[in-house]
Amino acid sequence: MESIIRYRIRESIRVKELIYQDSQLIQLIWEVSMAIVETFRKGGKVLLCGNGGSAADAQHIAAELSGRF
């Protein structure tokens, strides 16, 4: 069982390392973030949706945006 946990953690780290090294993806994340900020500054809204696990992700992001930011 411990090896499964270690494998999942290692895979998570690997994915994050790949994201960290991808300058184009980092730039895209920045641009999307700034578009969201600008939308809120102008009084607009951001709609999030998903199906299954993606719906849970959308709810979590919505809660973060409405509660934290």
Side-chain angles (χ1 to χ4, degrees):
M1 187 59 139
E2 183 178 325
S3 63
I4 293 170
I5 294 168
R6 289 184 184 279
Y7 171 79
R8 295 294 182 191
I9 292 169
R10 171 52 52 203
E11 282 300 298
S12 175
I13 292 169
R14 186 182 71 78
V15 168
K16 290 176 178 96
E17 287 173 346
L18 290 171
I19 292 169
Y20 181 81
Q21 295 169 10
D22 189 335
S23 296
Q24 288 180 327
L25 181 55
I26 296 296
Q27 181 63 35
L28 180 59
I29 292 169
W30 175 256
E31 290 171 8
V32 169
S33 300
M34 291 299 97
I36 291 170
V37 168
E38 190 61 27
T39 297
F40 285 141
R41 284 185 177 152
K42 291 180 177 179
K45 60 184 172 182
V46 174
L47 303 176
L48 304 161
C49 62
N51 185 15
S54 297
D57 289 340
Q59 290 172 334
H60 178 79
I61 293 168
E64 290 288 340
L65 291 174
S66 63
R68 182 181 294 187
F69 302 111

